[in-house]
Amino acid sequence: MPGKLTIGTAPDSWGVWFPSDPEQVSADVFLREVVEAGYEAIELGPYGYLPKDPRELSDALEAHGLTVLAGTVFSGLHRPDSWDAVWKQVTDVAALTKAVGGEHIVVIPAMYRDEKTGADLEPSTLTDEQWTLLTSQTDELGRRILEEYGLKVQFHSHAESHVGYQPEIERFLEATNPDYVNLCLDTGHVAYYGGDPVELITKYPERIGYVHLKQVSPEVMEQVRDKNIVWPEAVRMGAMTEPPLGVPDMPPVLDALAALDRPIMGIVEHDLYPCPPDLPLPIAKRTRTYLQSCSNADIDLGSRIIEVNDA
């Protein structure tokens, strides 16, 4: 349906960043609470968190009445020796995503700081040669994934990656082929560096291939920028917050997406790692209720009847 937004949720909103981690809830808890929150579509999250076997995963999804929108691949395609490792991920993730009916592969670029410790791993900016390698190899990745798996690559800008600030996102879009690569517009990661998601939607309407709806706390981000606080610590401080408590303002984003007049898929997301196990579900319920009521956009967040009792 033209203009319809199909929005699910993801393991990330339950504090899941890794295939296995003692600080994360189990996959069974995640799936059960997704249903309780009222959502009907998910992303797969880090490969190995949900069952890797297509039959086992299909059975689990069917048991919970859930569908899959996308899988995720982590990349370092600005590096000359990265291709084999990235493609190994693709052969696992894309095959599983396709087997359970997903349509997209979200490609997240490597971070220049360690995701757990915040330690510097490499320079925060790329040389021109590295930019060329990043964009050309991402194009090739998108071409092969489309031709071999029939899935669409959506590139996800990310805090503390080399494509985080809005000028970097625009440079990436200008240098890549829309036939093979488009943008997973993560509103929170764009806002993390002061970018404007609505401006990106307006300037690059044909490049918005998928969305992650997310907000950041202006108060926390002021401290993060002033003190150069690393990403994992920023998350623990509450840099990401639930709508409508942060920015960007969600109604203009939803209206701009609906104005594209074509179907858009994506998820509502909240970076929470690590978090108490009882924290995600109430947030997920409140967020779903808010998104259903804050805009005139045609949004499918699932049709389950739920009661939201959380304050």
Side-chain angles (χ1 to χ4, degrees):
M1 183 182 297
K4 188 178 187 69
L5 310 178
T6 299
I7 304 299
T9 188
D12 185 45
S13 295
W14 268 257
V16 176
W17 282 8
F18 305 100
S20 177
D21 189 289
E23 296 192 84
Q24 297 175 171
V25 298
S26 70
D28 289 341
V29 169
F30 164 69
L31 293 172
R32 184 179 72 247
E33 292 192 350
V34 165
V35 173
E36 187 175 345
Y39 298 92
E40 295 182 358
I42 62 169
E43 282 185 359
L44 294 179
Y47 179 72
Y49 175 67
L50 295 176
K52 297 179 182 179
D53 178 77
R55 178 67 62 85
E56 184 181 352
L57 178 58
S58 294
D59 289 347
L61 294 168
E62 184 177 353
H64 290 87
L66 295 170
T67 60
V68 167
L69 301 178
T72 302
V73 169
F74 297 88
S75 68
L77 292 172
H78 63 289
R79 303 171 187 145
D81 59 351
S82 64
W83 180 265
D84 289 347
V86 174
W87 190 251
K88 174 60 173 68
Q89 285 186 70
V90 168
T91 59
D92 294 327
V93 175
L96 185 60
T97 303
K98 181 178 181 179
V100 294
E103 297 184 22
H104 303 275
I105 294 294
V106 176
V107 175
I108 299 180
M111 298 169 67
Y112 55 78
R113 285 172 169 165
D114 185 270
E115 193 171 5
K116 276 200 168 186
T117 68
D120 289 339
L121 301 174
E122 58 185 317
S124 62
T125 58
L126 299 180
T127 66
D128 287 344
E129 292 78 10
Q130 288 173 315
W131 265 104
T132 298
L133 196 59
L134 170 65
T135 54
S136 63
Q137 290 205 114
T138 306
D139 273 346
E140 178 65 7
L141 188 73
R143 182 190 69 79
R144 287 193 60 181
I145 289 176
L146 181 63
E147 292 180 357
E148 298 185 29
Y149 296 95
L151 303 175
K152 292 166 278 192
V153 160
Q154 314 296 349
F155 185 87
H156 183 307
S157 66
H158 200 286
E160 295 191 351
S161 80
H162 299 101
V163 186
Y165 289 89
Q166 187 163 331
E168 295 168 341
I169 297 170
E170 296 192 16
R171 180 175 181 176
F172 180 87
L173 291 175
E174 296 288 349
T176 48
N177 186 338
D179 291 339
Y180 302 128
V181 178
N182 285 295
L183 182 66
C184 170
L185 178 70
D186 187 301
T187 59
H189 281 280
V190 172
Y192 193 89
Y193 289 126
D196 184 344
V198 172
E199 184 178 322
L200 283 168
I201 296 168
T202 303
K203 189 171 182 179
Y204 299 96
E206 299 305 317
R207 302 302 299 274
I208 308 302
Y210 191 79
V211 295
H212 284 182
L213 299 176
K214 183 187 300 180
Q215 286 189 329
V216 297
S217 163
E219 295 78 16
V220 174
M221 286 311 304
E222 184 175 355
Q223 299 178 56
V224 169
R225 295 186 188 112
D226 286 349
K227 300 178 181 178
N228 193 28
I229 294 171
V230 297
W231 162 250
E233 178 61 24
V235 171
R236 288 192 288 270
M237 291 170 59
M240 300 300 177
T241 190
E242 64 182 278
L245 304 179
V247 296
D249 194 23
M250 276 296 156
V253 171
L254 297 171
D255 291 345
L257 290 169
L260 296 176
D261 201 31
R262 55 185 170 84
I264 296 286
M265 294 181 179
I267 60 167
V268 58
E269 191 178 41
H270 191 158
D271 292 297
L272 285 171
Y273 179 87
C275 68
D278 59 350
L279 182 65
L281 178 58
I283 292 174
K285 289 181 175 181
R286 291 192 297 264
T287 300
R288 180 176 178 273
T289 299
Y290 173 74
L291 291 177
Q292 284 181 317
S293 63
C294 74
S295 167
N296 291 324
D298 185 4
I299 308 175
D300 180 5
L301 282 148
S303 58
R304 305 183 203 275
I305 304 300
I306 60 171
E307 295 181 5
V308 180
N309 300 315
D310 306 287

